[in-house]
Amino acid sequence: MSTRDTKTDSIIPEAAKHRDDMRATVVVPVLKSRSRGGQTESASTRTPESRLEEATGLAQAIDLDVVNGSIVPVNDPRPATLLGTGKIEEIKALLDERDSGLVIVDHPLTPVQQRNLEKEWNAKVIDRTGLILEIFGRRASTKEGTLQVDLAHLNYQKGRLVRSWTHLERQRGGGGFMGGPGETQIEADRRLLQDRIIKLERELEQVVRTRQLHRAKRRKVPHPIVALVGYTNAGKSTLFNRITGAGVLAEDMLFATLDPTLRRMKLPHGRTVILSDTVGFISDLPTHLVAAFRATLEEVLEADLILHVRDMSDPDNQAQSSDVMRILGDLGIDEAEAQKRLIEVWNKIDRLEPEVHDTMVQRTAGASNVVAVSAVSGEGVDRLMEEISRRLSGVMTETTIRLPVDKLALLPWLYDHAIVDGREDNEDGSITLDLRLSETEAAELERRIGNGPRAAKEDWER
């Protein structure tokens, strides 16, 4: 991850080198739970097929060749291996047949389960958390992103030293006055690992302080912040590029971008806002990553408006939406708060059948909290921009002011924070402006101009 070798070769044990380590088999365990009525129901809200498709996409995001995908019902999870012996033997035969040296289990595995499955299959095994960490390790490109991924990876590895190291039985002799057998190698490794975690946490604390300083500077020039959130591959970066003209990487793959990006943009009536593109969300996002990326995700908490981008061409988009809202709730944005600050952006309508497309556009035509768009073709983007402008405007105040010559330095601020409906340049060098601005901005203008917009208007009319 980042500071270590992220190539897949580095995660393949020697025992599996006779197989092709780039050929991966994806296993999706579907755990069952008994309801009180005695009927069996799935413990997950996601369909097994969508989970398999997503896990395959995650594997392909790090250039693995997925040669087989299996959905495995698990009625009685085994503490030692998760899967039953029959399924283990079945998958082992499949690995030999397909020459696959890597198994991706789309479910969290305990260190014991991971180690036992590797022995049974004679192949490298990584669970969902490990796979996401591998992807994030490749995608991190800034110092902040690298620190966050490394911290998450080290916390993940803490409980897996017994699996990851081959020299754990060795002991080194005691030193100083104590003597004795000394600490075991695993204790030394765990201590070194904890030292690195503490060091990274301190560096991330500095990142948090730096971000707080940046936010403080932005508050001095109070442009509203609009944050894009959504399930990974929902089209956030494509939409970001469409409305800002930025060149952010936007590809049809999971987690194409990782590091947050901020850009200034102008709304239709001239107001300047800051648009923030954040890391894509995903179901069962590892807690290590949520904790490590909190400094980044706090950009969402600071946002005046949140655009929840949804891929409406995905049959599982409702479950994906629920996952996004759950993570927002974990960050501290409850349902009531979300209703005030959130606009749903129904993206990728260009991929829908014409009848479905027309129905969706009609459904959202009169809605104030939902906009149907295509980030690729640009359809609906103008309406989205108008809705953003309307939601950020608040209660608008209409006024006419005259800026004397000694106040002309306020002109750029007015064009950034107000809607200028009319302008007249006067012979004495002053400027008359017809404005619409929010109550908050009207109060700020009054502070900046000294005599206030109403007094300026009255002075001009006299």
Side-chain angles (χ1 to χ4, degrees), residues 86 129 131 175 267 322 390:
T129 301
L131 179 60
L267 294 175
S322 298
R390 187 190 70 80

Side-chain angles (χ1 to χ4, degrees), residues 30-34 40-41 72-78 82 84:
V30 180
L31 273 63
K32 303 289 182 177
S33 61
R34 287 279 180 181
T40 303
E41 57 183 15
V72 181
V74 181
N75 294 321
D76 185 21
R78 305 290 178 86
L82 182 66

Side-chain angles (χ1 to χ4, degrees), residues 294-363:
R294 190 165 187 91
T296 299
L297 295 175
E298 281 177 356
E299 291 289 348
V300 179
L301 296 177
E302 294 286 326
D304 298 278
L305 191 61
I306 301 171
L307 304 185
H308 176 192
V309 183
R310 295 177 56 181
D311 178 2
M312 302 308 291
S313 68
D314 193 316
D316 215 35
N317 71 81
Q318 186 58 53
Q320 293 175 355
S321 174
S322 298
D323 290 326
V324 171
M325 296 308 296
R326 190 177 303 113
I327 295 173
L328 288 178
D330 292 341
L331 291 173
I333 301 174
D334 59 23
E335 188 173 346
E337 182 74 12
Q339 288 180 351
K340 297 177 183 177
R341 298 167 54 193
L342 190 138
I343 298 175
E344 281 201 0
V345 182
W346 290 3
N347 192 26
K348 301 190 182 182
I349 59 173
D350 55 298
R351 296 187 178 185
L352 302 175
E353 294 295 328
E355 297 82 4
V356 180
H357 169 278
D358 294 343
T359 301
M360 192 166 292
V361 171
Q362 290 173 5
R363 281 179 59 192

Side-chain angles (χ1 to χ4, degrees), residues 249-455:
L249 174 66
E251 294 186 13
D252 188 16
M253 68 167 65
L254 299 177
F255 297 117
T257 54
L258 176 61
D259 297 299
T261 307
L262 285 82
R263 292 285 188 278
R264 288 190 182 189
M265 70 171 189
K266 282 191 177 294
L267 294 175
H269 298 293
R271 188 178 190 183
T272 299
V273 300
I274 296 174
L275 190 66
S276 171
D277 185 16
T278 58
V279 62
F281 295 170
I282 195 168
S283 64
D284 302 320
L285 189 68
T287 54
H288 307 304
L289 281 176
V290 174
F293 277 80
R294 190 165 187 91
T296 299
L297 295 175
E298 281 177 356
E299 291 289 348
V300 179
L301 296 177
E302 294 286 326
D304 298 278
L305 191 61
I306 301 171
L307 304 185
H308 176 192
V309 183
R310 295 177 56 181
D311 178 2
M312 302 308 291
S313 68
D314 193 316
D316 215 35
N317 71 81
Q318 186 58 53
Q320 293 175 355
S321 174
S322 298
D323 290 326
V324 171
M325 296 308 296
R326 190 177 303 113
I327 295 173
L328 288 178
D330 292 341
L331 291 173
I333 301 174
D334 59 23
E335 188 173 346
E337 182 74 12
Q339 288 180 351
K340 297 177 183 177
R341 298 167 54 193
L342 190 138
I343 298 175
E344 281 201 0
V345 182
W346 290 3
N347 192 26
K348 301 190 182 182
I349 59 173
D350 55 298
R351 296 187 178 185
L352 302 175
E353 294 295 328
E355 297 82 4
V356 180
H357 169 278
D358 294 343
T359 301
M360 192 166 292
V361 171
Q362 290 173 5
R363 281 179 59 192
T364 61
S368 62
N369 60 340
V370 182
V371 180
V373 307
S374 168
V376 172
S377 69
E379 180 184 1
V381 172
D382 288 343
R383 180 172 174 262
L384 173 62
M385 299 292 281
E386 289 285 350
E387 184 61 28
I388 294 171
S389 181
R390 187 190 70 80
R391 290 283 289 269
L392 292 177
S393 64
V395 179
M396 299 298 288
T397 299
E398 295 186 13
T399 187
T400 300
I401 68 168
R402 178 177 59 84
L403 283 181
V405 176
D406 62 338
K407 297 290 185 179
L408 292 183
L410 287 176
L411 204 57
W413 185 91
L414 283 169
Y415 274 97
D416 277 347
H417 294 80
I419 299 171
V420 180
D421 292 324
R423 168 174 170 163
E424 181 181 351
D425 294 355
N426 304 311
E427 292 183 0
D428 62 355
S430 64
I431 297 176
T432 302
L433 298 169
D434 296 323
L435 302 175
R436 282 181 289 152
L437 67 172
S438 69
E439 292 178 347
T440 302
E441 286 161 341
E444 175 64 16
L445 176 59
E446 184 174 353
R447 185 188 69 80
R448 289 171 178 257
I449 205 171
N451 58 347
R454 185 176 302 171

